């Protein structure tokens, strides 16, 4: 083993340095092309598209909103291991290793081209990176061989004089400089290129300059007291910066509103084609809606509440004239994501919006700038398409959406849910009066009651905060006035506006949303 590393480390280093050059150059060049032209962005995206739903779900459960960082880190590690392996191969078979890098690079280019947001042209960064990687691997391997051969010469000449020693150390130095230089340059290009992708593209500047029109129909004012009085509760209206984010986009699409179009087509009398300015010129409606992700586990926080501004989808569909045989609208994002929404949910009187505003500002890039869908009552995966580009009026029998092709249900009405927010799980609180607080939701039906159970005691009514409307979550509180020291548990269940009591039946998020009661353990300390 030691022998193996003594003779092989230079070659592994050569492989890794070549890989860093390949990835770094491609990443830096990708700033002049579509974002998925960076090979890891496209490969990661393709990977996300093919994994089974339970893997995606496990990743969200494990890493939460850091699932993308975890994916990048894993891919990077795999690349480094592969590169070290190819470096070792190059020790004996340099051309074969170079060929392998070229084949992998061509494969990566093919993945880049296959992505929805790319053209043939976007393969350029990966191809250029691959060429550089193949060359660097060749040079470093040659130098590594010279450096590896050198010590033997040096030792052989040790006896008489130092004739071979300077040559040996020159060989080693040349290799080390070359390898370290390539690795550092590659890493710098990678990090710099990635950082530049965040600040480039005047889209952020354009977004900041946008003045949204005042709503023709403002949202009804929220009643006083929608927030639970319990300290430490989440805010009733979620700040944009704290709003949960779930999507398949490894790099956030940067869509220029001046070239953005929305096409409405399919089973319609008349196709429509709108620009962003067309949209802003409409009579816009403002509505408070709580969004929820189907992947939210019992007690989870993949839900957020915001004030949206947009055009009712209903009005667009009326204008287009929907064929009576249609039962679904397939909304498409610029990055290829699709959602299938039942046509009733877009034509009845609920506030389904083609949204441009979120809490008084243009949509943040992460939440779909410039335009997204918001549909009260349905999980995001069947309704809330961000970076919206198309609405196809169609039928479930004829078209399938992104997640329905991956094991999730065709329809995704939001399930009645409730959770305990305070105290946090496994928190310690002082004895005496313990304030318990939480959130419940059943969009489109509203919440009519919340009950809590302390340990194995009876169900007791919680106090409901004021009702903002059926499409919003509702906060609740419960005061345990004589909390006794020791370990305790609290369980919560809600009743929706139709009188349905939340089921205790446990279900996983796959295929159509989690169910079951949320229960947390906490400790009451002495005094
Ligand atoms: N383009 C695009 N839109 C998308 C998704 C996506 O992956 N791509 N995910 C959907 C899902 S699963 C949810 S829960 C919501 C989340 O919206 P948010 O990130 O603004 O909270 O967006 C929906 N819209
Ligand atoms: Mo979701």
């Amino acid at each position: 083993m030691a022998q193996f590393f003594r003779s092989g480390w230079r070659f592994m280093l050569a492989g890794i340095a070549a890989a860093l050059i390949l990835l770094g150059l491609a990443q830096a060049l990708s700033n002049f092309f579509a974002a998925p032209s960076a090979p890891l962005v496209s490969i990661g995206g393709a990977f996300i598209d093919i994994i089974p739903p339970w893997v995606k779900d496990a990743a969200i459960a494990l890493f939460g909103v850091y699932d993308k960082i975890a994916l990048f880190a894993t891919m990077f590690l795999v690349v480094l291991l592969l590169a070290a392996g190819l470096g070792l191969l190059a020790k004996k078979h340099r051309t074969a290793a170079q060929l392998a890098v070229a084949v992998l690079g061509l494969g990566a280019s093919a993945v880049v081209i296959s992505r929805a947001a790319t053209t043939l042209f976007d393969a350029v960064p990966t191809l250029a990176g691959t060429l550089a990687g193949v060359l660097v691997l060749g040079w470093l391997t040659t130098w590594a061989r010279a450096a590896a051969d050198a010590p033997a010469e040096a030792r052989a000449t040790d006896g008489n004089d130092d004739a071979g020693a300077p040559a040996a150390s020159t060989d080693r130095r040349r290799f080390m400089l070359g390898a370290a230089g390539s690795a550092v340059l590659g890493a710098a290009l990678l990090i710099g290129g990635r950082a530049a992708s965040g600040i480039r593209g005047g889209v952020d500047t354009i977004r900041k300059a946008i003045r949204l029109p005042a709503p023709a129909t403002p949202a009804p004012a929220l009643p006083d007291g929608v927030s639970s009085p319990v300290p430490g509760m989440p805010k009733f209206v979620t700040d944009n910066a704290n709003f949960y984010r779930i999507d398949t986009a490894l790099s956030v699409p940067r869509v220029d509103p001046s070239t953005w179009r929305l096409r409405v087509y399919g089973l319609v009398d008349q196709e429509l084609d709108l620009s962003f300015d067309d949209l802003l010129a409409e009579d816009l409606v403002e509505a408070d809606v709580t969004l929820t992700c189907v992947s939210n586990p019992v007690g989870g926080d993949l839900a957020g509440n915001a004030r949206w501004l947009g055009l009712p989808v209903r009005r667009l569909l009326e204008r287009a004239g929907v064929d009576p045989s249609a039962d679904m609208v397939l909304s498409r994002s610029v990055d290829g994501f699709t959602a299938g929404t039942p046509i009733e949910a877009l034509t009845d009187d609920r506030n389904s919006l083609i949204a441009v505003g979120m809490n008084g500002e243009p949509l943040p890039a992460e939440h779909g700038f410039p335009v997204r869908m918001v549909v009260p009552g349905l999980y995001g995966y069947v309704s809330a398409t961000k970076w919206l580009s198309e609405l196809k009026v169609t039928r479930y029998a004829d078209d399938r959406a992104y997640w329905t092709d991956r094991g999730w249900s065709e329809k995704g009405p939001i399930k009645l849910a409730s959770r305990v927010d305070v105290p946090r799980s496994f928190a310690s609180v002082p004895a005496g009066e313990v304030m318990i607080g939480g959130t419940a939701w059943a969009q489109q039906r509203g919440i009519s009651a919340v009950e809590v159970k302390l340990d194995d005691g009876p169900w007791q009514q919680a106090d409901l905060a004021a009702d903002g409307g059926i499409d919003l979550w509702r906060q609740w509180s419960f005061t345990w006035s004589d909390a006794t020291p020791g370990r305790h548990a609290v369980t919560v269940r809600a009743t929706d506006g139709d009188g349905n009591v939340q089921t205790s039946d446990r279900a996983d998020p796959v295929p159509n949303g989690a169910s079951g009661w949320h229960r947390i353990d906490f400790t009451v300390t002495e005094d």
Side-chain angles (χ1 to χ4, degrees), residues 116-456:
T118 56
T119 64
L120 264 181
F121 198 50
D122 293 310
V124 169
T126 308
L127 291 175
T130 304
L131 182 64
V134 167
L135 291 176
V136 167
L137 182 63
W139 294 326
L140 291 181
T141 307
T142 308
W143 297 345
R145 284 178 181 173
D149 291 344
E153 278 169 43
R155 239 175 275 123
T157 57
D158 239 15
N160 39 51
D161 217 334
D162 53 0
S169 66
T170 313
D171 283 336
R172 282 191 226 116
R173 201 171 320 123
R174 184 179 57 181
F175 170 78
M176 272 323 286
L177 279 177
S182 314
V184 168
L185 177 66
L189 284 171
L190 195 59
I191 295 165
R194 183 86 193 149
S197 76
I199 49 178
R200 69 130 178 207
V203 170
D204 287 341
T205 323
I206 296 172
R207 178 183 171 276
K208 287 205 185 77
I210 291 176
R211 289 280 155 271
L212 293 176
T217 313
L222 288 172
D224 287 340
V226 288
S227 295
S228 151
V230 179
M233 282 288 292
K235 287 173 105 173
F236 183 76
V237 178
T238 315
D239 295 331
N240 289 357
N242 293 334
F243 207 94
Y244 82 95
R245 174 189 165 200
I246 291 288
D247 53 61
T248 59
L250 274 179
S251 78
V252 176
R254 306 275 160 177
V255 182
D256 182 347
S258 68
T259 54
W260 176 89
R261 313 288 304 184
L262 177 65
R263 181 170 168 236
V264 184
Y265 70 108
L267 298 171
V268 292
D269 301 332
Q270 190 193 343
E271 288 196 10
L272 304 177
D273 184 29
L274 278 87
S275 70
F276 190 64
D277 286 338
D278 293 339
L279 201 52
L280 293 192
E282 299 274 348
D283 285 343
L284 300 184
V285 170
E286 199 181 47
D288 292 326
V289 178
T290 300
L291 286 194
T292 309
C293 182
V294 68
S295 294
N296 194 44
V298 170
D301 57 7
L302 298 178
N305 183 41
R307 176 159 292 187
W308 308 94
L309 174 72
L311 174 68
V313 188
R314 187 189 326 117
R315 264 197 255 149
L316 267 192
L317 293 180
E318 275 163 12
R319 220 172 286 167
V322 172
D323 188 283
S325 69
D327 60 5
M328 184 255 264
V329 170
L330 190 74
S331 51
R332 182 178 296 274
S333 156
V334 298
D335 68 355
F337 171 89
T338 51
T341 311
I343 210 139
E344 317 84 76
L346 303 176
T347 49
D348 65 16
D349 58 5
R350 81 185 78 182
N351 283 316
S352 296
L353 299 179
I354 308 279
V356 294
M358 179 177 185
N359 289 330
E361 50 177 279
L363 298 174
E366 293 77 15
H367 297 289
F369 180 78
V371 180
R372 76 174 302 168
M373 292 237 295
V374 171
V375 179
L378 305 182
Y379 286 122
Y381 82 107
V382 289
S383 68
T385 303
K386 305 191 271 189
W387 315 291
L388 182 68
S389 64
E390 276 181 15
L391 297 179
K392 180 183 183 189
V393 178
T394 179
R395 299 186 308 183
Y396 281 104
D398 298 335
D399 274 300
R400 294 172 71 74
Y402 187 91
W403 286 114
T404 32
D405 264 345
R406 290 166 175 80
W408 296 80
S409 300
E410 215 163 55
K411 305 270 172 78
I414 295 175
K415 293 182 181 176
L416 169 59
S418 61
R419 68 172 188 223
V420 180
D421 293 308
V422 179
R424 310 293 301 174
S425 196
F426 299 115
S428 289
V429 295
E433 197 177 84
V434 171
M435 301 271 271
I436 300 172
T439 310
W441 59 79
Q443 289 90 323
Q444 282 286 289
R445 303 183 299 285
I447 295 294
S448 61
V450 169
E451 296 159 282
V452 295
K453 182 208 279 276
L454 291 165
D455 301 318
D456 291 322

Side-chain angles (χ1 to χ4, degrees), residues 42-169:
S42 270
I43 292 170
F47 179 76
I48 290 174
D49 287 351
I50 57 170
I51 53 171
W54 63 268
V55 177
K56 173 228 175 198
D57 228 53
I60 289 177
L62 204 58
F63 302 112
V65 295
Y66 298 106
D67 56 343
K68 295 193 174 73
I69 295 175
L71 176 60
F72 268 121
T74 310
M75 284 195 295
F76 194 61
L77 222 82
V78 169
V79 168
L80 292 189
L81 283 173
L82 194 68
L86 287 176
L88 277 180
L89 173 68
K91 185 179 174 201
K92 292 254 162 56
H93 308 283
R94 181 175 49 199
T95 315
Q98 285 177 297
L99 212 68
V101 174
V103 168
L104 288 171
L106 285 176
S109 310
V111 175
V112 167
I113 296 169
S114 75
R115 306 298 295 159
T118 56
T119 64
L120 264 181
F121 198 50
D122 293 310
V124 169
T126 308
L127 291 175
T130 304
L131 182 64
V134 167
L135 291 176
V136 167
L137 182 63
W139 294 326
L140 291 181
T141 307
T142 308
W143 297 345
R145 284 178 181 173
D149 291 344
E153 278 169 43
R155 239 175 275 123
T157 57
D158 239 15
N160 39 51
D161 217 334
D162 53 0
S169 66

